[in-house]
Amino acid sequence: MEIAELKAKAAQIRMDLLTMIHRAKTGHTGGSLSNTDILTALYYEIMRIDPQRPDWAARDRFVASKGHSVESLWCVLADRGFFPKAELETFSQFGTRLIGHPNNKVPGIEMNTGALGHGLAIAVGMALAAHRGGEDYRVYCLMGDGEQAEGSVWEAAMAGAHYGLDRLVGIIDRNRLQISGSTEDVMGLEPLEAKWSAFGWHVVQIDGNDMDALLQALREAPQAAGRPTLVLADTVKGKGVSFAENQAKWHHHVPSDEQLAQALEELRAEQARHMQKTGGGAR
């Protein structure tokens, strides 16, 4: 896909997740909006996957360690064809598969996640299995920045470097806000790049809402043989919705009817701008 198409797709995913959250009257809105560009880059351009064969042995693996921001992931998986898009209407309803955290009863989900700090350890195990088995699939793990306060993240980081897992790519959605406020007020993380480097990872810091930068960083990983890669993706919480951007209250907040209408109007305009560059219409 062209860059403009990927940006238009990200706008559509944002519209889908907002509509889903509004319908369900629950959801983690801000973090799902901030990580949408990351997921779009991975699932539409970077990862080796086959929605018709979700258990394909050679597939790349994705672990959503920040499992509470599952709404964008559900929308991407549905759009890619892992399950029918109509199922998004059941999100957080009684008996649904689409609960508020990744659920491995759904095709495309490798592990149940959401207890923060566990995802990277799982990803390390997957990458170690590939390393020892001579397999060439990659393992991607998306973490939140508030999650970096969990000690298990750093135990897994040590293990990834110790075993030289250069097909392991960690990504931090660095939007600087968590449920209780600024990450730097709750538990200061800086200098975050230096910390990951000190743990033996090759670190690339980028604008995580810039599709070009995301694609370049993810395509070039690993950039150092024998070392895992950490993409430190600086993002905006609530990205794409003017009144939600950089607002801590939108960590877990449901748009009203009026707010949904305004957000969809903004995102449709953004999508149209990108599609004009491709000569196509909105998808």
Side-chain angles (χ1 to χ4, degrees), residues 206-232:
I206 61 167
D207 179 344
N209 294 129
D210 182 323
M211 191 62 67
D212 299 83
L214 279 166
L215 293 177
Q216 180 176 344
L218 293 168
R219 283 172 177 156
E220 292 179 357
Q223 295 186 15
R227 298 170 66 191
T229 294
L230 188 282
V231 178
L232 185 53

Side-chain angles (χ1 to χ4, degrees), residues 15-38:
M15 287 189 276
D16 291 345
L17 74 88
L18 286 166
T19 301
M20 186 176 70
I21 289 171
H22 176 263
R23 181 189 299 113
K25 305 303 181 190
T26 187
H28 286 83
T29 309
S32 289
L33 290 168
S34 70
N35 72 30
T36 294
D37 297 304
I38 298 168

Side-chain angles (χ1 to χ4, degrees), residues 38 42 140-144 169-173 218 229-231 233:
I38 298 168
L42 285 171
Y140 299 88
C141 179
L142 177 62
M143 297 172 279
V169 181
I171 307 166
I172 298 178
D173 182 11
L218 293 168
T229 294
L230 188 282
V231 178

Side-chain angles (χ1 to χ4, degrees), residues 17-95:
L17 74 88
L18 286 166
T19 301
M20 186 176 70
I21 289 171
H22 176 263
R23 181 189 299 113
K25 305 303 181 190
T26 187
H28 286 83
T29 309
S32 289
L33 290 168
S34 70
N35 72 30
T36 294
D37 297 304
I38 298 168
L39 294 181
T40 301
L42 285 171
Y43 276 89
Y44 294 88
E45 197 66 25
I46 298 296
M47 290 202 305
R48 184 172 65 191
I49 54 175
D50 183 351
Q52 303 308 310
R53 295 185 295 162
D55 296 326
W56 178 33
R59 73 192 181 279
D60 288 338
R61 274 69 166 168
F62 174 76
V63 177
S65 190
K66 53 171 297 183
H68 55 286
S69 294
V70 73
E71 291 82 0
S72 48
L73 180 57
W74 288 145
C75 292
V76 166
L77 291 177
D79 190 70
R80 283 302 320 265
F82 283 91
F83 59 86
K85 289 193 75 171
E87 192 171 348
L88 295 176
E89 297 180 11
T90 73
F91 171 65
S92 283
Q93 303 302 304
F94 179 75

Side-chain angles (χ1 to χ4, degrees), residues 26-268:
T26 187
H28 286 83
T29 309
S32 289
L33 290 168
S34 70
N35 72 30
T36 294
D37 297 304
I38 298 168
L39 294 181
T40 301
L42 285 171
Y43 276 89
Y44 294 88
E45 197 66 25
I46 298 296
M47 290 202 305
R48 184 172 65 191
I49 54 175
D50 183 351
Q52 303 308 310
R53 295 185 295 162
D55 296 326
W56 178 33
R59 73 192 181 279
D60 288 338
R61 274 69 166 168
F62 174 76
V63 177
S65 190
K66 53 171 297 183
H68 55 286
S69 294
V70 73
E71 291 82 0
S72 48
L73 180 57
W74 288 145
C75 292
V76 166
L77 291 177
D79 190 70
R80 283 302 320 265
F82 283 91
F83 59 86
K85 289 193 75 171
E87 192 171 348
L88 295 176
E89 297 180 11
T90 73
F91 171 65
S92 283
Q93 303 302 304
F94 179 75
T96 185
R97 299 189 299 176
L98 307 185
I99 57 177
H101 288 79
N103 166 24
N104 65 2
K105 291 183 172 60
V106 180
I109 298 295
E110 301 288 347
M111 288 294 299
N112 298 344
T113 55
L116 293 177
H118 292 182
L120 186 62
I122 295 167
V124 166
M126 292 176 175
L128 183 58
H131 180 70
R132 291 184 170 177
E135 305 292 342
D136 69 348
Y137 61 78
R138 297 180 186 275
V139 182
Y140 299 88
C141 179
L142 177 62
M143 297 172 279
D145 50 2
E147 182 178 359
Q148 304 305 297
E150 299 283 353
S152 51
V153 170
W154 300 100
E155 294 177 47
M158 281 192 292
H162 174 77
Y163 290 109
L165 302 179
D166 56 13
R167 302 193 72 78
L168 172 63
V169 181
I171 307 166
I172 298 178
D173 182 11
R174 182 69 167 120
N175 60 38
R176 298 180 178 271
L177 291 171
Q178 57 191 102
I179 192 168
S180 48
S182 163
T183 57
E184 301 315 289
D185 291 337
V186 176
M187 181 62 66
L189 300 177
E190 295 300 337
L192 192 54
E193 179 180 3
K195 288 175 181 175
W196 277 90
S197 295
F199 271 70
W201 288 57
H202 180 78
V203 182
V204 183
Q205 187 164 12
I206 61 167
D207 179 344
N209 294 129
D210 182 323
M211 191 62 67
D212 299 83
L214 279 166
L215 293 177
Q216 180 176 344
L218 293 168
R219 283 172 177 156
E220 292 179 357
Q223 295 186 15
R227 298 170 66 191
T229 294
L230 188 282
V231 178
L232 185 53
D234 293 313
T235 62
V236 174
K237 192 122 179 176
K239 178 67 176 178
V241 178
S242 61
F243 53 85
E245 290 189 351
N246 290 315
Q247 298 296 315
K249 70 177 183 179
W250 279 92
H251 178 88
H252 190 287
H253 193 72
V254 177
S256 65
D257 292 349
E258 294 76 15
Q259 288 172 327
L260 178 65
Q262 180 181 340
L264 294 180
E265 181 179 358
E266 293 177 4
L267 289 164
R268 286 193 192 100

